[in-house]
Amino acid sequence: MGTCGCGYSTDEQKNCNGTHKVVAAVKADIAAALAAKGQTEASEYVKTFKKEN
């Protein structure tokens, strides 16, 4: 698989193990819930947030 570029890997050697797919799904759920409550600015922030390594 190789070294993870997203920074979310749970692997000890930081190899990609698919964690970024779970993170993306959770972010999408949170963004949708915020948008449904009228919190569009917060929703956009969650959608575009990038983890700094």
Side-chain angles (χ1 to χ4, degrees):
M1 286 222 176
T3 302
C4 181
C6 74
Y8 292 110
S9 179
T10 57
D11 183 75
E12 289 180 17
Q13 284 77 38
K14 298 299 179 194
N15 290 318
C16 183
N17 63 359
T19 305
H20 61 277
K21 293 177 184 177
V22 175
V23 171
V26 170
K27 284 173 56 176
D29 287 349
I30 292 170
L34 287 167
K37 294 184 183 271
Q39 299 291 325
T40 55
E41 187 175 325
S43 176
E44 286 302 314
Y45 179 79
V46 169
K47 287 181 196 176
T48 59
F49 179 82
K50 300 284 186 201
K51 181 180 178 191
E52 293 181 24
N53 293 334

